[in-house]
Amino acid sequence: MDVKSRNYLLMNRQALEKDIKTSYIMDHMISDEVLTLQEEERVKQQNTQKERAAMLINIILTKDNNSYRSFYNALLHEGYRDLAALLQDGIPAISSGNGKSSMDGMTSYVKTVLCEGGVPQRPVVFVTRPKLVDAIKQKLCCLGSDPGWVTVYGMAGCGKTVLTAEALRDHQLLEDYFPGGVHWISVGKQDKAGLLIKLQNLCSRLEHDSTLSQRPPLNIEEAKDRLRLLMLRKYPRSLLILDDIWDSWVLKAFDNQCQVLITSRDRSVTDAVAGNKYEVHVESGLAHEKGLEILSLFVNMKISELPEQANCLVRECKGSPLVISLIGALLRDFPSRWEYYLKQLQNKQFKRIRKSSSYDYEALDEAMSISVEQLNDNYKDYYKDLSVLPKDVKVPTKVLCILWDMETEEVEDILQEFVNKSLLFCDRNGKSFHYYLHDLQLDFLTEKNRNQLQELHKNIVNQYKKYYKLNTPVPSQEDCMYWYNFLAYHMAGANMQKELRDLMFSLDWIKAKTELVGPAHLIHEYVEYSSILDQKDSTVRENFQEFLSLNGHLLGRQPFPDIIQLGLCQPETSEVYQQAKLYAQRETGTFYLEWLNKKSLKNLYRLVVRPHKDAVYHACFSKDRQRIASCGADKTLQVFKAESGERLLEISAHDDEILCCTFSADGEFVATCSADKKVKIWNSRTGQCKCVYEEHSEQVNCCQFNNRSGQYLLATCSNDTFIKLWDLNKKYCRNTMMGHENSVNHCRFSPNDEYVASCSTDGTVKLWEARSGNELKSIEIKDFFKNADEQPDDVEVLVKCCSWSRNGDMILVVAKNKLLLFDVKTCGLLSQVIISHHSTIQYCDFCPGDELVAVALSHCSVELWNIKSLSKVAYCRGHMSWVHCVTFSPDGSLFLTSSDDQTIRIWETKKVCKSSDAVLKSELDVVFHNGEVMILAIYNQKHLQLINGNTDSVIMQTAAPESPISCCCLSEDLKFAAFGQESGTIKVLQLLDGKVLKSQEAYRTSVQHCRFTSDCQTLISSAHDSVIQVWNWQLSECVFLRGHKEAIKDFRLLENSKLLSWSFDGTVKVWNITTGNTEKDFACHGGAVLSCAVSPDGSKFSSTSADKTAKIWSFESSSVLHELKSHEACVRCCTFSPNNKLLATGDDKGEIRIWDTLTGTLLHFCSPVTVDEGEPTHGGWVTDLSFSPDSKMLVSSGGYLKDLILE
């Protein structure tokens, strides 16, 4: 046994003897033939468990490396994973042979196993990397006999496949660990159809000698089941190798409790599957040191003696051993030309890299083109056509079939000639071959044919048009993705302005492309090719770019929305609207809606993206404003382009919700913190995890880097009451700041990095010295919320967030619904403002210009305030649920918001502030009268507008009252209107002239609801209290309905002067509005009652609640008929079907349930996620439901309108 392995056994002997039970472990070792029956008997003869364990270890110590491996695997299999972990680093390396090797180091047994398993042969040019090969072997040994996954991951072209194949050329490894053989399958980027073909081929290969031939499996699930049986019964203890895995969903088809090795670019690809997991990281391409080693061998110098240019040369060679060798051969005879060859590579001047006396070719370009010259003339022209292929793209055969107007077989024969001469690389990917050029080959071709590139691009576009005519590729065609990704690239390269405009300004193309690849690439193309698209006028391009930027998050959803309907919602001057209207007019049998009041609506945001599949808790800009990082409830970190939303990184970063993320000042790193108590630092370009900090004992709420480049300091704060300061160059916390008495919610460095501010649930903001960690000042925020008769300790104030002014002399603090601005030196309050009476502030951020402050509110909006004048500058709506975060870009020109609705919205600060558009509040009333639609709406909280819905004309607008308007209603005869104010006043006015007829100071709090009775003589209202007022405004008489113990949620008028009301106290009451008496009292729920609905026959009503239940009640018996319990979130809304048979309920998870009102049975469940696509049905809550008159269709609203067909 190796000395290292023996030492690990001795070092951990005490822990092993204490815990292990030997009987089952010995069974494994006997089956591995490393322990004899006589030795088992010696162990059993010992008296105690500890003595038996000691004897077994003594026996193992006398044996070889195989005994150690067997013992380790037995520990894993029997559940002693902690003990196995102690021994893992001592696993002995597997020798590369057993003395029976042939000339190439492989035994005939190995050759047979690899040949039968389809393992690729060793390439002709092979550079050994023994450490990586040994690392792969070690991880394969760690699997033992248990099912599990070994992931060999790294960047494209780094040699994962070659290294994996090399690791399998080991007799002892195959014989000891995988006697059932190995089975290699090249997967690649696949759709479901392509994956099924791969599985069918694999099953066919494994069944080749079966006596009964079976039909191919018809679907992935059937193929998975058949593969499981084959691996279990026919090929036990075999290894399945999945080469080039791109998507985690693919692995689920192979998740069959077998042993699997995968190669992938994505380290986290195995997160979707269960089992033991091990990783081997392969550096990108040929390692830099290995490249230097090759150069040093050519020029006969030590690596340390190589000139400075050697490093640059290796980088310019882009990891290609061939090019490094070529340059090395030239340098061998001209050792003074390091700088010369470097410049030629950088400038792609290959002709100037001249011949060396011992090299066969006149210059580097000749070396790269010698095979081209040997081609016949026709083949040379075909190869020249490849000059316009995009970099790093594998082109399907079908594209070249279209380009050359040939059959597949003819094209493959031509391309095979190129492959044979190393002029092209081939990758078998599913249904066809895919071809690509190395970067240097493409650079060479581009430079050589520079004067002909425009014509070459034009040729490929014309061939596409000839083949597809007026049609577009469909997803089932193998060339589909290529054209959608690169047709515009070729048109731009050909300078085909008209064709490019026709393509990019086509709703058909936009629909087809975004359905396949999402909107980000198309937005990027509008920016990339703007100089061509804008040659006549930039307006059209701006129309389409804005349309995609603002609606891209919808176009990325499933089911795919109707793009014509989205286009009809654009301004009438937009080219998008004009096209959509033409399409709609041509469509027959399709129902489209067109907004009449579009002129009063304007989108103020610049881009909307939906990178997450759950709530987005935080997002921030990089310092250069080019990138955005975001995180949320789906446990992922996303990094994407701020211009287009194109995803750059997606990392499954934590084991629980990620609460905050932040860029370092130089943009090199992103930090994340999570409810899993961990803080992690990531390379923002590669996604590699740099370090993990685990010193907090509770969830970590916030993380913030310092502001200056050059030093990486990170502040974090947690529910454990501590703020910690980390230096990224050290493993442990530099300072821990103690002083808060409750959870710390937020922390921020001052602009000069000398101080850290922290906000806590204990009601304080504290300032700390960053260098020493000492507390400097503490501000008692809760003092500014207590009433005169309250002590500070009696007031609970959760301080959410703080933000420093640009020069650090002021600090802005957020708590409840207040903004408070303090002087840092004196801690004195400079100013305060109450933002809202109806919602709490979730986040705030100072604009770098100091005058503006952005605040995120719980009621789905963001507001900008001028902190000097204490005036609201802008009101930004668009989100459909709570807004968690608002952050300015470093220059203040943009700000972004993130929300529970899964979206991030980017806004232009100047555009928002300069906007003259007023906002129509969602509280409005509509009356359908004599064929007309009359709408009463609140305009900018200051005016009432009466709008003719048929013509979009404003009939009447009131003067601004002294207090903002909070609610409004119309009388049925359209003679009167009423409105409530935030001051508690209710007013009735005459619609004819807008004159106020009656006014009453009804409440001390904001009026929430008001409605006329059918005779228009009485106005019923409720506010943020427990009393409903019934006001006969014509007689100036008022009846008060008192009985609820908490605020009224809403009410509904019934027949015969009855009223139904429901409250946050969990009760529902029926009132006689004439007498003011309670006629029925229902104790409905343990939580707030959020909605009620009355059945069409008036015999029963339903109630829904924050306690996650819904109930159906009988008016007559005052008893509950059915309790409906299967919701998992607040049940927000409900409605009865017109035929009285169904009740629909919707909740805050976006789920809808349909119940039988007679039996209370659940009939239909509408999930917020479709099984195939994983896309949410709503952007958050289900807020309203309505059945069609025939009870066969249900329409729901939330983030989006959805209609459900009920069978």
Side-chain angles (χ1 to χ4, degrees):
M1 184 181 296
D2 289 351
V3 173
K4 181 180 177 182
S5 304
R6 182 181 178 83
N7 287 341
Y8 266 83
L9 267 178
L10 293 171
M11 187 167 53
N12 297 291
R13 179 172 188 153
Q14 187 174 355
L16 292 165
E17 291 176 353
K18 180 180 178 182
D19 290 334
I20 65 172
K21 295 181 180 179
T22 57
S23 57
Y24 291 111
I25 290 175
M26 289 193 294
D27 287 344
H28 285 282
M29 297 182 72
I30 290 169
S31 67
D32 287 342
E33 298 181 355
V34 298
L35 194 71
T36 66
L37 294 175
Q38 292 80 4
E39 288 167 336
E40 180 188 33
E41 193 58 35
R42 283 171 56 194
V43 173
K44 288 182 176 179
Q45 287 174 359
Q46 306 306 309
N47 296 323
T48 65
Q49 174 184 317
K50 185 174 182 180
E51 288 171 348
R52 287 190 289 273
M55 175 58 71
L56 177 60
I57 292 170
N58 285 336
I59 292 172
I60 296 171
L61 286 168
T62 67
K63 293 179 174 289
D64 60 8
N65 290 338
N66 287 336
S67 301
Y68 188 99
R69 296 190 193 99
S70 178
F71 180 57
Y72 170 83
N73 290 329
L75 289 173
L76 278 177
H77 194 84
E78 292 304 321
Y80 298 103
R81 299 192 180 278
D82 291 338
L83 296 177
L86 298 176
L87 301 182
Q88 183 171 337
D89 290 339
I91 297 175
I94 297 176
S95 61
S96 58
N98 65 349
K100 299 177 286 185
S101 61
S102 59
M103 291 294 291
D104 61 357
M106 289 192 294
T107 64
S108 59
Y109 168 74
V110 170
K111 288 184 177 181
T112 301
V113 170
L114 300 191
C115 183
E116 290 179 349
V119 178
Q121 294 183 5
R122 184 180 287 161
V124 176
V125 178
F126 177 67
V127 181
T128 60
R129 288 188 271 181
K131 287 186 178 179
L132 286 168
V133 172
D134 287 344
I136 295 172
K137 292 180 185 179
Q138 286 274 35
K139 298 305 180 185
L140 287 172
C141 293
C142 291
L143 285 177
S145 58
D146 288 342
W149 307 79
V150 174
T151 304
V152 181
Y153 71 95
M155 295 288 287
C158 62
K160 302 182 291 291
T161 300
V162 173
L163 288 166
T164 298
E166 190 65 20
L168 298 175
R169 295 183 177 96
D170 188 291
H171 185 107
Q172 188 175 351
L173 175 71
L174 298 179
E175 192 172 62
D176 292 351
Y177 289 89
F178 308 109
V182 297
H183 312 288
W184 187 290
I185 175 172
S186 296
V187 180
K189 188 74 172 173
Q190 295 293 342
D191 56 13
K192 291 186 177 179
L195 178 61
L196 178 58
I197 291 173
K198 293 284 185 183
L199 286 164
Q200 288 172 338
N201 292 339
L202 179 61
C203 291
S204 175
R205 192 205 309 174
L206 296 179
E207 294 168 339
H208 71 281
D209 60 349
S210 177
T211 55
L212 296 174
S213 64
Q214 299 188 54
R215 62 163 175 77
L218 299 180
N219 55 58
I220 290 176
E221 283 302 314
E222 183 183 346
K224 178 180 178 180
D225 194 51
R226 188 178 301 181
L227 181 60
R228 178 181 61 80
L229 294 176
L230 284 167
M231 298 299 283
L232 178 66
R233 298 175 182 175
K234 191 174 179 182
Y235 298 98
R237 294 193 68 194
S238 63
L239 177 67
L240 183 63
I241 302 105
L242 306 177
D243 187 29
D244 193 21
I245 294 293
W246 284 66
D247 302 298
S248 57
W249 65 266
V250 171
L251 291 187
K252 294 182 180 179
F254 299 93
D255 192 5
N256 284 325
Q257 292 294 301
C258 57
Q259 294 173 310
V260 186
L261 184 149
I262 68 169
T263 68
S264 178
R265 301 181 189 185
D266 185 356
R267 180 182 183 182
S268 63
V269 75
T270 56
D271 288 352
V273 292
N276 298 326
K277 295 170 188 175
Y278 305 94
E279 294 178 346
V280 179
H281 178 238
V282 180
E283 60 268 24
S284 177
L286 195 64
H288 190 79
E289 285 298 317
K290 185 65 72 172
L292 291 175
E293 182 184 345
I294 292 172
L295 284 180
S296 70
L297 292 172
F298 268 109
V299 298
N300 197 25
M301 297 171 66
K302 294 180 180 178
I303 293 178
S304 59
E305 296 172 351
L306 292 174
E308 294 179 4
Q309 294 89 341
N311 286 300
C312 298
L313 272 170
V314 172
R315 281 194 288 270
E316 284 299 320
C317 291
K318 301 176 182 177
S320 168
L322 175 65
V323 181
I324 294 174
S325 299
L326 174 61
I327 297 296
L330 293 168
L331 287 167
R332 180 169 53 196
D333 290 331
F334 297 97
S336 62
R337 292 190 178 180
W338 292 86
E339 186 68 30
Y340 176 79
Y341 291 134
L342 174 60
K343 285 182 179 179
Q344 306 322 311
L345 276 176
Q346 289 173 335
N347 298 326
K348 300 179 177 60
Q349 296 296 321
F350 301 120
K351 286 184 179 297
R352 297 186 183 177
I353 301 179
R354 287 293 168 188
K355 173 185 175 181
S356 67
S357 60
S358 61
Y359 205 67
D360 293 336
Y361 309 115
E362 183 65 26
L364 179 57
D365 68 323
E366 185 181 346
M368 297 178 73
S369 65
I370 188 64
S371 296
V372 178
E373 298 303 321
Q374 293 176 348
L375 298 171
N376 64 45
D377 290 342
N378 287 338
Y379 276 44
K380 289 178 186 177
D381 289 337
Y382 293 139
Y383 194 65
K384 181 170 66 177
D385 287 339
L386 305 184
S387 303
V388 295
L389 295 184
K391 277 191 176 184
D392 299 320
V393 174
K394 295 178 180 179
V395 181
T397 311
K398 179 72 176 293
V399 172
L400 299 166
C401 291
I402 293 171
L403 173 60
W404 295 331
D405 197 12
M406 291 181 180
E407 296 295 325
T408 301
E409 291 77 11
E410 293 179 274
V411 170
E412 288 179 349
D413 287 343
I414 294 171
L415 296 175
Q416 188 60 44
E417 185 74 12
F418 300 155
V419 172
N420 292 341
K421 289 181 167 53
S422 300
L423 292 170
L424 191 67
F425 295 92
C426 177
D427 180 32
R428 186 65 185 263
N429 187 3
K431 293 166 283 188
S432 74
F433 293 102
H434 285 61
Y435 299 91
Y436 61 98
L437 292 160
H438 187 277
D439 282 357
L440 281 171
Q441 290 173 325
L442 192 55
D443 288 343
F444 162 71
L445 275 177
T446 303
E447 185 65 26
K448 183 178 180 179
N449 302 306
R450 179 167 299 281
N451 295 332
Q452 303 175 60
L453 291 180
Q454 186 167 319
E455 280 303 312
L456 292 173
H457 278 293
K458 189 174 182 179
N459 182 44
I460 197 170
V461 173
N462 288 335
Q463 288 299 106
Y464 166 85
K465 291 165 65 178
K466 176 183 174 183
Y467 183 85
Y468 281 106
K469 298 181 175 64
L470 299 176
N471 301 316
T472 54
V474 296
S476 59
Q477 296 169 310
E478 63 175 279
D479 60 324
C480 169
M481 293 301 293
Y482 181 87
W483 297 118
Y484 281 116
N485 280 315
F486 300 111
L487 183 57
Y489 156 78
H490 289 301
M491 287 180 173
N495 198 28
M496 301 172 75
Q497 180 187 347
K498 181 182 183 305
E499 288 83 352
L500 184 62
R501 288 173 62 89
D502 290 345
L503 182 78
M504 300 287 286
F505 302 154
S506 161
L507 283 181
D508 284 335
W509 180 258
I510 291 172
K511 177 182 185 298
K513 179 162 181 170
T514 52
E515 205 165 343
L516 281 173
V517 300
H521 189 261
L522 201 48
I523 296 170
H524 168 76
E525 287 179 328
Y526 283 122
V527 177
E528 182 79 9
Y529 308 134
S530 58
S531 60
I532 300 174
L533 297 171
D534 294 350
Q535 283 184 13
K536 290 184 177 179
D537 181 13
S538 65
T539 305
V540 177
R541 193 261 309 163
E542 289 169 355
N543 288 163
F544 277 90
Q545 186 176 333
E546 182 181 70
F547 171 65
L548 268 181
S549 296
L550 303 185
N551 295 282
H553 65 297
L554 304 177
L555 295 171
R557 304 182 75 90
Q558 294 292 339
F560 196 83
D562 190 321
I563 199 166
I564 299 174
Q565 181 63 72
L566 286 176
L568 289 171
C569 299
Q570 301 307 297
E572 292 180 6
T573 56
S574 168
E575 179 66 24
V576 181
Y577 169 82
Q578 300 294 340
Q579 270 197 43
K581 189 164 186 179
L582 289 174
Y583 275 92
Q585 289 169 345
R586 289 199 302 262
E587 291 282 339
T588 56
T590 306
F591 178 64
Y592 289 109
L593 299 172
E594 184 169 5
W595 291 7
L596 292 174
N597 61 334
K598 282 188 296 185
K599 293 177 182 177
S600 64
L601 300 172
K602 189 175 182 181
N603 286 319
L604 300 179
Y605 31 88
R606 171 175 172 171
L607 178 68
V608 185
V609 294
R610 193 173 64 90
H612 294 272
K613 294 181 179 178
D614 209 332
V616 188
Y617 292 146
H618 196 83
C620 59
F621 286 97
S622 60
K623 195 167 185 178
D624 62 4
R625 213 189 74 175
Q626 299 301 306
R627 294 176 294 157
I628 292 171
S630 62
C631 59
D634 64 2
K635 310 175 191 176
T636 68
L637 168 67
Q638 308 279 348
V639 180
F640 54 92
K641 290 182 180 179
E643 182 73 43
S644 65
E646 180 183 348
R647 180 178 285 127
L648 301 173
L649 275 181
E650 179 176 16
I651 305 170
S652 296
H654 285 269
D655 299 325
D656 207 335
E657 295 181 335
I658 306 177
L659 305 178
C660 188
C661 60
T662 178
F663 274 106
S664 60
D666 60 4
E668 285 299 307
F669 299 105
V670 177
T672 56
C673 61
S674 167
D676 67 7
K677 310 175 189 177
K678 297 176 185 176
V679 179
K680 297 187 180 183
I681 312 298
W682 309 88
N683 185 305
S684 69
R685 308 286 181 183
T686 66
Q688 183 178 2
C689 185
K690 175 179 170 61
C691 49
V692 181
Y693 299 127
E694 301 186 61
E695 293 187 28
H696 282 292
S697 59
E698 298 290 341
Q699 78 172 31
V700 189
N701 296 314
C702 180
C703 56
Q704 290 289 327
F705 272 110
N706 63 323
N707 298 296
R708 290 178 296 188
S709 299
Q711 185 183 20
Y712 297 112
L713 295 179
L714 181 74
T716 61
C717 59
S718 164
N719 281 1
D720 61 13
T721 75
F722 301 139
I723 305 102
K724 290 182 179 286
L725 195 63
W726 313 84
D727 186 332
L728 264 59
N729 296 318
K730 298 179 181 178
K731 292 184 178 180
Y732 304 103
C733 171
R734 193 175 95 168
N735 282 318
T736 300
M737 306 171 193
M738 298 175 284
H740 283 294
E741 298 175 359
N742 210 325
S743 303
V744 188
N745 304 308
H746 193 252
C747 58
R748 271 195 181 176
F749 279 96
S750 61
N752 61 7
D753 292 335
E754 292 183 7
Y755 307 106
V756 174
S758 60
C759 307
S760 171
T761 305
D762 65 11
T764 66
V765 171
K766 294 183 183 290
L767 305 183
W768 314 79
E769 189 178 61
R771 184 181 296 274
S772 65
N774 294 330
E775 180 181 333
L776 296 177
K777 298 174 181 178
S778 182
I779 305 173
E780 294 285 343
I781 302 299
K782 57 188 178 183
D783 287 351
F784 299 95
F785 287 85
K786 65 183 178 67
N787 297 323
D789 57 346
E790 289 180 317
Q791 297 297 318
D793 292 340
D794 298 332
V795 182
E796 289 187 5
V797 176
L798 189 157
V799 187
K800 271 284 184 76
C801 178
C802 62
S803 183
W804 295 83
S805 61
R806 180 172 53 181
N807 58 8
D809 60 351
M810 297 181 291
I811 191 166
L812 186 71
V813 179
V814 161
K816 292 188 175 180
N817 60 349
K818 279 187 182 181
L819 276 180
L820 302 106
L821 187 66
F822 293 94
D823 182 285
V824 170
K825 288 185 179 179
T826 66
C827 294
L829 180 67
L830 299 176
S831 57
Q832 64 175 312
V833 59
I834 297 176
I835 297 296
S836 171
H837 292 283
H838 311 302
S839 63
T840 58
I841 304 174
Q842 302 298 305
Y843 206 85
C844 71
D845 197 31
F846 243 126
C847 182
D850 271 357
E851 289 192 6
L852 282 182
V853 170
V855 292
L857 301 171
S858 60
H859 68 207
C860 317
S861 66
V862 173
E863 295 179 357
L864 297 188
W865 286 73
N866 185 309
I867 202 65
K868 291 184 178 179
S869 64
L870 299 182
S871 60
K872 188 194 301 185
V873 175
Y875 179 72
C876 309
R877 294 206 68 160
H879 284 294
M880 295 166 288
S881 190
W882 283 39
V883 183
H884 289 289
C885 169
V886 56
T887 311
F888 280 101
S889 61
D891 61 1
S893 62
L894 304 174
F895 64 94
L896 59 78
T897 55
S898 64
S899 166
D900 255 3
D901 66 10
Q902 307 174 14
T903 68
I904 297 167
R905 294 171 189 254
I906 295 95
W907 314 69
E908 293 183 49
T909 308
K910 285 185 179 179
K911 183 178 178 181
V912 168
C913 293
K914 290 181 179 179
S915 172
S916 60
D917 293 344
V919 179
L920 289 177
K921 285 194 68 176
S922 58
E923 290 82 3
L924 48 81
D925 197 13
V926 181
V927 171
F928 295 87
H929 186 74
N930 294 334
E932 290 191 327
V933 182
M934 304 303 292
I935 304 164
L936 186 69
I938 302 169
Y939 184 73
N940 240 21
Q941 294 187 289
K942 298 178 181 179
H943 309 276
L944 278 186
Q945 278 190 352
L946 184 65
I947 303 168
N948 186 313
N950 299 76
T951 63
D952 189 29
S953 57
V954 177
I955 299 172
M956 180 271 296
Q957 179 172 307
T958 64
E962 62 283 355
S963 172
I965 301 173
S966 54
C967 63
C968 63
C969 65
L970 281 168
S971 64
E972 290 182 12
D973 58 9
L974 289 179
K975 292 182 178 179
F976 309 108
F979 63 90
Q981 296 174 254
E982 290 188 1
S983 62
T985 301
I986 300 174
K987 295 182 179 181
V988 178
L989 54 85
Q990 190 167 266
L991 285 178
L992 185 64
D993 54 10
K995 179 182 177 182
V996 174
L997 301 177
K998 287 289 179 71
S999 176
Q1000 177 181 337
E1001 294 183 5
Y1003 300 95
R1004 294 183 179 180
T1005 59
S1006 176
V1007 185
Q1008 292 300 293
H1009 304 285
C1010 60
R1011 281 181 206 130
F1012 282 102
T1013 55
S1014 57
D1015 60 8
C1016 309
Q1017 296 182 7
T1018 302
L1019 185 69
I1020 304 174
S1021 60
S1022 66
H1024 272 307
D1025 62 20
S1026 60
V1027 179
I1028 299 171
Q1029 294 194 20
V1030 181
W1031 178 33
N1032 188 318
W1033 59 273
Q1034 292 186 342
L1035 300 178
S1036 297
E1037 295 176 353
C1038 194
V1039 175
F1040 298 94
L1041 310 183
R1042 305 180 190 273
H1044 285 294
K1045 296 179 180 179
E1046 292 185 37
I1048 307 296
K1049 180 66 173 73
D1050 207 345
F1051 57 81
R1052 172 176 172 163
L1053 282 162
L1054 304 176
E1055 295 178 350
N1056 302 321
S1057 300
K1058 303 292 192 297
L1059 180 134
L1060 185 76
S1061 67
W1062 52 97
S1063 164
F1064 287 98
D1065 63 10
T1067 67
V1068 175
K1069 299 180 186 295
V1070 178
W1071 309 84
N1072 184 313
I1073 61 173
T1074 304
T1075 64
N1077 296 328
T1078 305
E1079 297 198 350
K1080 300 275 186 180
D1081 196 346
F1082 300 87
C1084 291
H1085 295 276
V1089 181
L1090 301 179
S1091 71
C1092 285
V1094 178
S1095 63
D1097 62 5
S1099 65
K1100 48 187 170 286
F1101 73 92
S1102 60
S1103 60
T1104 69
S1105 171
D1107 66 8
K1108 305 178 184 179
T1109 68
K1111 296 181 181 181
I1112 301 176
W1113 301 82
S1114 166
F1115 277 119
E1116 185 177 349
S1117 64
S1118 300
S1119 61
V1120 63
L1121 300 175
H1122 304 292
E1123 187 171 359
L1124 315 175
K1125 286 185 172 180
S1126 68
H1127 282 283
E1128 298 175 357
C1130 294
V1131 190
R1132 182 75 43 185
C1133 55
C1134 59
T1135 186
F1136 283 95
S1137 63
N1139 64 9
N1140 222 38
K1141 294 180 179 180
L1142 305 174
L1143 175 74
T1145 55
D1147 65 25
D1148 286 2
K1149 280 186 70 177
E1151 295 178 351
I1152 298 167
R1153 288 166 169 78
I1154 299 170
W1155 314 81
D1156 186 313
T1157 58
L1158 186 62
T1159 64
T1161 305
L1162 179 63
L1163 300 176
H1164 299 283
F1165 167 68
C1166 306
S1167 169
V1169 177
T1170 61
V1171 175
D1172 291 334
E1173 303 296 339
E1175 299 290 349
T1177 303
H1178 291 97
W1181 303 343
V1182 182
T1183 54
D1184 205 358
L1185 295 161
S1186 181
F1187 280 98
S1188 60
D1190 61 3
S1191 303
K1192 292 184 178 180
M1193 182 179 291
L1194 176 69
V1195 178
S1196 64
S1197 66
Y1200 310 93
L1201 283 175
K1202 300 283 178 180
D1203 58 273
L1204 309 169
I1205 307 298
L1206 306 177
E1207 297 295 338

